[in-house]
Amino acid sequence: MVSSSVLGFPRIGVLRDLKKANEAYWAGKLSQDELLAEAKRLRLAHWKIQKDAGVDIIPSNDFAHYDHVLDHIQLFNAAPERYTSQKLAPIDEYFAMGRGHQKGGVDVPALEMVKWFDSNYHYVKPTLQDNQTFSLAQDPKPVREFLEAKEAGIQTRPVLVGPVSFLALGKADRGSSVNPITLLDKLVPVYVELLKALKAAGAESVQIDEPILVFDLSPEVKAAFKPAYEAIAAAGDAVPSVIVATYFGDIVHNFDVLPAFSGLKGLHVDLVRNPEQLEPVLKQLGPSQILSAGVVDGRNIWKNNFAKSIELIQTAVKALGSERVIVATSSSLLHTPHTLTSEKKLPAEVYDWFSFAVEKVKEVAILAKAVNSPDSVRAELDANAATIKARSESARTNDPKVKERQSQVTPEMHNRKSTFETRYAQQKAHLKLPLFPTTTIGSFPQTNEIRVQRNKFTKGEINAEQYDDFIKKEIDLAISIQDELGLDVYVHGEPERNDMVQYFGERLTGYVFTTHAWVQSYGSRCVRPPIIVGDISRPAPMTVKESKYAASVSKKPMKGMLTGPVTCLRWSFPRVDVHQSVQCQQLALALRDEVVDLEANGIFVIQVDEPALREGLPLRKGSERDAYLEWAVDSFKLATAGVEDSTQIHSHFCYSEFQDFFHAIAALDADVLSIENSKSDAKLLKVFIDESYPRHIGPGVYDIHSPRVPAEEEFKQRLSEMLEFLRPDQLWINPDCGLKTRKWDEVKGALTHMVNAAKYFREKYADKA
């Protein structure tokens, strides 16, 4: 019989329960015992959902208070000494690594946080030392949570990040030069010890995630799999059986690694992202190994096409037999909202098109039954076929006017009128900015009062005029604070915006919106991605009113703030019936109209953020990556090229690891780039010298994900490091990202220190002005 499994379940709860509990604990409103009790409640609820749906193999240790990779850092006692020396309680040490800690005489920044492959989820990067050691934590979390489920009458399969991925996704700490993968011999015995503890607790099988198998791997990393998994296999019956899980891509190019898994139970592959890998993978499996077939999408919200999935599963069954096939989610369901049943306001037509985590769990179980006994789920199969047909025929998805406009796009529409040198001369005369200009990335704190007033307006408790007056007062406040701080280019603070993608989606055609479809982005930060269901256009200006007002009451240049086409696409749930390049061009045309309107209304600095550009990069080099970069760059240029030379175009990016696609960053032709950089080595900026990058750059000087306020000397130190790689006339000074999640006292303190540091260097380099 074909069995069913889920690789992981969302942690946050149906109403963002975990977010609320974590933040209450950080605020001192919830005790440690209360926090841990709430976490246990959520785990039990999530296991029960999967059991009640009929899933055969249910994951444990997929829960994390902040991040699952951070869990493993603590699990293996791999926290850097700057955290362990503080003698904090384990949960506080854990949160200190995730978000920093600045109280009670302890002042430590957070570890670096980066995107999890090509998703919008962020993981905490293992940060390792030259003298690194590993040992198993007391009362190891995977064992504890396995026993917790067992006590509730639910047998689970614990989930671990594999040893090779854990090291390959890590980095050497500042001051260390260790290549993390060389630490494998120290780490693998700890894994074996953990697996033995799980077996002793009653675990029959374990899922070990090695997602880096979808990357192009160096010979050194490839070679690490053999000793790691031979050591695990050598433990024999002392450890549970092991399924190695891969996802987010194909593994065909790493087939030479698979012999390392010959002593293991089986392999999981993602057949949503790369269904064509099925038959080659089947030929690689050992004579008794099983295949876990990832056919239910762990990354999107569209209802599964049962007919297509059953075809894939039956191919596997024909090759292996039903006992050697598991129907599974493609990846963890971490990247999907909790349940569709919370959505009461979606149009009935589109409601039937979607499937969130709870519904996907049911899909996995139905698919297994459909292969084992089709008649037992005939009604579900017929209903699914009807839904798939109805969506393909819906008039909601097609707008002839949008397609007509796309057909009229010309190559010339992607280019600014003049070169950067000509543009900058005009911008310098027009904007009159000093050396080392200071600015922020866009948003200011979204206070409780802002959320209350937005909620009142949404519910109709205040009218549009009252809400507009409130927003103007918030803009006035933001400008007065920037006056006080002495920034050089202002922002209006975005008090009217709920989210940097949803806000725009609500003002465009082709989108639908949810009320409770939250997804974890990092830590307690959750986002509610809009859903693209049809062709996209802009019926009216989206941001002009607020930006125009802000400029009218500002002493300094006001920066218009837009989210770029690639990010609007990547941070939505996109259509699966139309290529993403088509959707992205539609977004670019809508934003082009907005950029031109902003300029016409007196906004001469316009920032079009593309933090998701790096995230969307296909994981492997080759034709797919080249094609992505071509349409992504073209979309950005199409959105921004309609302005005059004297208008300065900015863009913001997450992370500064651009080395492998720097040509595309340069091709964007933005006048100023700001990049998230505060926790990265300033040496990464060397690429701007190596490539003779002529335009201006604002590497983030402090981490906005942490409540910690850096000292002025820290800013000076960071700027000194940056000036080793950037020219003084090239450097802008700004935070890493927007400040919406911070409190005003944190913002004022950090920006005061940032501006003072800028003034110091302005005086130091006065002769360069």
Side-chain angles (χ1 to χ4, degrees), residues 174 435-439 487-488 673 675 677-683 685 689 697-702 710-736 750-765:
R174 287 185 182 179
L435 196 65
F436 302 111
T438 57
T439 189
L487 291 163
D488 299 306
L673 295 181
I675 55 179
N677 186 74
S678 69
K679 288 185 286 187
S680 300
D681 193 323
K683 291 178 182 178
L685 299 175
I689 295 178
I697 309 152
V701 292
Y702 81 95
E712 188 174 316
E713 286 304 312
E714 286 187 48
F715 285 102
K716 292 178 180 178
Q717 178 62 33
R718 289 295 289 168
L719 291 171
S720 293
E721 293 171 356
M722 291 172 184
L723 286 166
E724 294 178 22
F725 304 100
L726 300 173
R727 303 188 314 271
D729 65 320
Q730 192 177 28
L731 181 61
W732 281 63
I733 301 177
N734 46 259
D736 260 349
L751 291 182
T752 296
H753 295 166
M754 185 186 86
V755 170
N756 287 343
K759 290 177 180 176
Y760 169 82
F761 281 95
R762 203 170 288 158
E763 292 173 4
K764 184 176 180 179
Y765 287 88

Side-chain angles (χ1 to χ4, degrees), residues 449-501:
E449 179 62 15
I450 290 174
R451 290 191 290 268
V452 167
Q453 293 300 318
R454 183 185 299 134
N455 193 39
K456 284 183 177 180
F457 178 59
T458 301
K459 291 180 177 179
E461 295 175 8
I462 59 175
N463 61 34
E465 183 179 357
Q466 290 171 311
Y467 185 62
D468 285 348
D469 287 344
F470 170 77
I471 293 299
K472 285 180 179 178
K473 290 177 182 176
E474 288 295 319
I475 292 172
D476 290 340
L477 173 65
I479 290 172
S480 69
I481 290 173
Q482 291 171 93
D483 285 339
E484 178 185 329
L485 292 168
L487 291 163
D488 299 306
V489 174
Y490 287 6
V491 296
H492 78 282
E494 306 177 16
E496 78 285 3
R497 303 188 190 181
N498 46 14
D499 175 81
M500 66 182 290
V501 175

Side-chain angles (χ1 to χ4, degrees), residues 517-532:
W518 298 97
V519 178
Q520 185 183 16
S521 178
Y522 63 86
S524 68
R525 169 77 171 138
C526 300
V527 294
R528 187 158 43 95
I531 304 170
I532 303 175

Side-chain angles (χ1 to χ4, degrees), residues 403-421:
K403 291 181 170 59
E404 173 64 20
R405 189 178 184 194
Q406 286 185 278
S407 72
Q408 296 172 356
V409 172
T410 64
E412 292 74 22
M413 292 172 66
H414 298 87
N415 298 319
R416 297 287 296 272
K417 291 180 172 62
S418 305
T419 64
F420 171 72
E421 290 74 19

Side-chain angles (χ1 to χ4, degrees), residues 142 206 242 252 287 377 409 459 577 585 648 718 740:
V206 172
V242 172
V252 174
V377 288
V409 172
K459 291 180 177 179
D577 60 327
Q585 188 186 59
Q648 191 172 73
R718 289 295 289 168
K740 68 180 292 184

